Amino acid sequence: MSYTVTLPGRGTFDAWREAARIAISHRIPPDEISWTGGGGLFAAAPLPDTPGPHQTRVPGGFLKLAGSVIWHSAPERTALLYRALWQLDRRQGDPLSQADPLGRRLNLMAKSVGRDIHKMHAFVRFRELPSEGRRRFAAWFEPEHDTLEPGSSFFVKRFADMDWMIATPGLTARFEAGRLTFHNGGARPDLPEDASESLWATYFANIFNPSRVKLDAMRSEMPKKYWKNLPETRLIPDMLRDAEARVERMREAAATPCPALEQPPCPPATAPRCQPRPNGRKQWVKRARPPCNADAVASARRQHRPSGAKGSRRHV
Amino acid sequence: MIIGADGTDDVTILKSSTRLYAGYKLRRVYYSAFSPIPDASSVLPLVQPPLLREHRLYQADWLLRFYGFSAEEIATGTNAGHLDLEIDPKLAWALQHRGLFPVEVNRAGRDMLLRVPGFGTRTVDRIVTERRTRSMRYEDLVRMGALMKKARPFITLPGWSPGGLTDSADLRARFAPPPEQLSLL
């Protein structure tokens, strides 16, 4: 190792890009750079300050891939990215392709980062803090990778009219008066209880369908590593334990008959409905109908009709 | 569409989906296994919702939308109009049409690669891009994320030849889950 690079915790991508540009311009091979700070057995020098004579151009796909892989938690990510840049420059293999061993590894890392950002958008649970003026919220989240920095733009757009803070072990994002700033991370802050959490738990328990339990699908959508910061997951074990019994109870209860539909049919009409008049013409007679259940049946049918059918009734 | 509340078979359901996609330009059809609700009408079956059947219908729906299959082709792999619950619909179709296999991965057209069990649309896209510059080998497919356990009997390429596997009589048994002992009590 002849060179060592120390990258900052924030703005890592731009710093890596600058360092990689200088290194490749001097054609420093990937084995000669330690990206993790340690220089090995011999003392290592920092990279030269000024760019060298060699210029390289990379496809846009590489920058997109690097911009995602750089947030991965694996310490070797920066070294792997530089190796990919070296291979692109030397035209050795295709480190962007899934068929290339390095390319496959980088693509899997990028996918893992993208998934972690997606899960953060779904699983950050804010708690309201006391405030005057703009409402204030705070949340504690433990992502798998360093995804708070690339993932925070979603929260800026979504909660632009509030002040909020998302704390993670590595980094804290604060959004105050429309400005996003990043600070050091730390231990889990003490957040006050939020009344809307029990409302959310009630809703979560009530949309649970005990006859549609699919454990693998649930664990894939809601991986267990995020459970400890999700208040609703405390309800899941009990709901699952009771699910089978609930379905059984429902089956045993069977259907209760609709009282209106169960009445006997109307008695048959006996009197003739039309009688001859003295002038020979027939006349319809209005006749009191014997009391029957027909009206109740009709009104029960009306109630059972889905609401969408109302609009299709035509005037004749 | 609600699945399993009446006796409609899967092929009829897939044909209605085809009609909805082709005739009404719908983007998605959703299938939902009928799930019993408390105090339901007595004509509805109060049984466990057919979740696996719902899953197979979604797989068949994907074949209709992204893999160039027609409902009639999927029907050739069904049992009396119902999709095989033990193996996926593409594999069921391939087992009925073994004469078309093994496919030569480096030469076959995109439409035929899409019909190989274990190859998804992304794998096929990657193969088509990659083979422009070089010949694909078996290890490349493993790396790309193709399900080789499923694809092996149906493909041939440098590094792999299925031999008699494609036409072997016990091919279905290799994929179906092992038979289960029912409760004796």
Side-chain angles (χ1 to χ4, degrees):
Chain A
M1 299 281 175
S2 334
Y3 298 96
T4 181
V5 182
T6 313
L7 294 173
R10 277 169 251 160
T12 321
F13 180 61
D14 292 332
W16 176 85
R17 200 174 162 184
E18 195 52 43
R21 188 182 285 139
I22 288 182
I24 200 83
S25 70
H26 289 280
R27 293 203 154 155
I28 303 172
D31 294 331
E32 303 228 330
I33 307 178
S34 161
W35 290 91
T36 42
L41 191 56
F42 303 102
L47 286 175
D49 291 333
T50 49
H54 178 62
Q55 282 196 340
T56 184
R57 299 192 76 80
V58 290
F62 176 70
L63 281 182
K64 194 164 169 278
L65 184 71
S68 191
V69 171
I70 198 78
W71 306 113
H72 199 277
S73 56
E76 68 269 23
R77 66 194 189 278
T78 40
L80 289 175
L81 283 174
Y82 185 68
R83 188 171 291 279
L85 177 66
W86 178 261
Q87 287 188 7
L88 279 175
D89 188 43
R90 286 286 164 120
R91 304 200 190 284
Q92 294 169 347
D94 181 7
L96 299 181
S97 148
Q98 298 268 0
D100 183 271
L102 178 60
R104 174 75 178 157
R105 192 163 167 200
L106 290 175
N107 274 298
L108 285 179
M109 286 167 93
K111 192 175 176 189
S112 174
V113 168
R115 188 174 157 80
D116 200 40
I117 292 177
H118 178 75
K119 292 296 175 203
M120 178 170 74
H121 293 164
F123 293 150
V124 163
R125 297 278 180 269
F126 284 104
R127 286 182 174 188
E128 186 155 15
L129 305 175
S131 67
E132 296 127 26
R134 276 162 78 95
R135 294 175 76 187
R136 291 168 65 224
F137 293 86
W140 167 252
F141 188 67
E142 291 171 69
E144 193 185 355
H145 307 296
D146 308 326
T147 42
L148 183 58
E149 200 176 325
S152 53
S153 58
F154 165 81
F155 296 102
V156 170
K157 272 184 254 166
R158 180 74 180 75
F159 304 112
D161 61 337
M162 306 164 190
D163 285 346
W164 47 261
M165 177 192 86
I166 302 172
T168 70
L171 193 68
T172 300
R174 282 177 191 279
F175 185 75
E176 276 154 353
R179 232 172 62 82
L180 180 69
T181 50
F182 291 102
H183 307 269
N184 289 336
R188 179 190 187 120
D190 218 6
L191 299 176
E193 289 295 316
D194 195 317
S196 60
E197 234 163 60
S198 66
L199 180 67
W200 164 235
T202 310
Y203 173 75
F204 187 77
N206 278 284
I207 56 165
F208 173 73
N209 182 347
S211 60
R212 277 195 70 101
V213 174
K214 292 164 97 175
L215 291 178
D216 287 343
M218 180 189 75
R219 278 192 286 260
S220 149
E221 294 298 318
M222 203 176 191
K224 278 220 160 165
K225 62 188 171 201
Y226 299 111
W227 277 33
K228 57 178 182 280
N229 292 319
L230 294 172
E232 66 270 27
T233 51
R234 272 167 248 148
L235 305 170
I236 293 176
D238 282 342
M239 291 197 297
L240 289 180
R241 208 173 304 124
D242 195 30
E244 216 170 310
R246 271 177 72 188
V247 175
E248 203 50 49
R249 280 202 297 275
M250 187 170 76
R251 198 168 301 150
E252 272 166 18
T256 45
C258 172
L261 293 173
E262 293 301 310
Q263 296 286 326
C266 314
T270 42
R273 292 205 65 186
C274 55
Q275 289 168 344
R277 283 204 297 183
N279 58 9
R281 278 197 268 167
K282 284 181 179 175
Q283 184 206 13
W284 289 97
V285 183
K286 218 168 183 197
R287 166 171 61 76
R289 214 167 44 171
C292 84
N293 197 36
D295 296 329
V297 171
S299 92
R301 290 237 163 86
R302 260 199 301 281
Q303 277 168 18
H304 279 243
R305 191 176 52 191
S307 56
K310 273 181 194 160
S312 61
R313 202 155 44 154
R314 257 178 283 156
H315 292 283
V316 276
Chain B
M1 272 185 269
I2 304 290
I3 307 307
D6 62 2
T8 316
D9 65 14
D10 293 342
V11 173
T12 316
I13 290 170
L14 289 172
K15 280 183 182 162
S16 344
S17 301
T18 310
R19 206 171 55 246
L20 291 170
Y21 285 133
Y24 297 87
K25 298 275 181 287
L26 291 201
R27 287 186 62 195
R28 273 295 294 276
V29 173
Y30 292 90
Y31 307 93
S32 188
F34 173 71
S35 174
I37 48 168
D39 210 0
S41 161
S42 52
V43 296
L44 291 171
L46 288 180
V47 292
Q48 200 64 26
L51 298 179
L52 189 54
R53 187 177 167 203
E54 177 191 284
H55 176 59
R56 294 285 179 238
L57 276 166
Y58 272 116
Q59 288 180 318
D61 188 77
W62 252 248
L63 294 184
L64 293 177
R65 291 192 296 146
F66 303 115
Y67 291 80
F69 279 81
S70 66
E72 287 75 19
E73 282 175 310
I74 296 171
T76 58
T78 57
N79 302 328
H82 280 288
L83 294 168
D84 197 331
L85 292 184
E86 292 185 336
I87 55 175
D88 67 82
K90 200 208 252 186
L91 182 60
W93 174 85
L95 288 173
Q96 296 297 323
H97 298 83
R98 300 194 206 185
L100 301 171
F101 296 101
V103 163
E104 217 173 308
V105 175
N106 280 307
R107 288 162 177 272
R110 189 173 187 278
D111 51 341
M112 198 57 216
L113 285 178
L114 282 173
R115 290 180 176 240
V116 174
F119 282 9
T121 48
R122 286 195 196 174
T123 305
V124 170
D125 286 343
R126 284 169 195 165
I127 291 172
V128 171
T129 328
E130 203 61 31
R131 70 183 184 183
R132 282 186 197 135
T133 50
R134 65 195 182 89
S135 173
M136 302 286 298
R137 291 190 59 82
Y138 182 82
E139 306 80 62
D140 296 326
L141 290 183
V142 177
R143 219 175 285 127
M144 278 180 180
L147 296 177
M148 296 314 285
K149 212 177 146 206
K150 221 175 242 184
R152 246 178 310 188
F154 303 103
I155 54 168
T156 171
L157 75 167
W160 170 256
S161 164
L165 192 58
T166 314
D167 295 319
S168 64
D170 67 336
L171 193 53
R172 186 182 182 281
R174 281 166 179 264
F175 297 113
E180 260 180 57
Q181 170 69 55
L182 290 176
S183 168
L184 296 172
L185 302 171

